[in-house]
Amino acid sequence: MNIIEATKAAQGKGACMKRTGWNDAAAIRPTDIGYDLMCRTTQKKCPPMWNPKTEDVLADDWTICN
């Protein structure tokens, strides 16, 4: 799915999302103020905000994760 579809699905479930090629330890949680990068192994926030690359925005390999 693309980033728009993934954002809508993740917000609806209160879940995170990530690209299929990303390390399993990182995921993005969409919020009303932006996207928070989450360290899934520690369940803590990583850097304060995520700045997507063009390739991330245009990708269609986004998935939803817990």
Side-chain angles (χ1 to χ4, degrees), residues 6 13 38-39 49 61:
K13 297 178 181 178
M38 303 297 290
C39 294
M49 295 295 282
D61 64 346

Side-chain angles (χ1 to χ4, degrees), residues 19-63:
R19 293 197 49 206
T20 55
W22 285 4
N23 180 329
D24 283 337
I28 304 295
R29 177 170 291 145
T31 68
D32 288 336
I33 59 171
Y35 292 91
D36 287 333
L37 180 60
M38 303 297 290
C39 294
R40 294 177 63 216
T41 54
T42 60
Q43 296 299 313
K44 294 181 182 177
K45 286 186 182 181
C46 291
M49 295 295 282
W50 173 65
N51 292 313
K53 296 178 182 177
T54 302
E55 67 185 64
D56 294 324
V57 174
L58 298 175
D60 63 356
D61 64 346
W62 286 93
T63 60

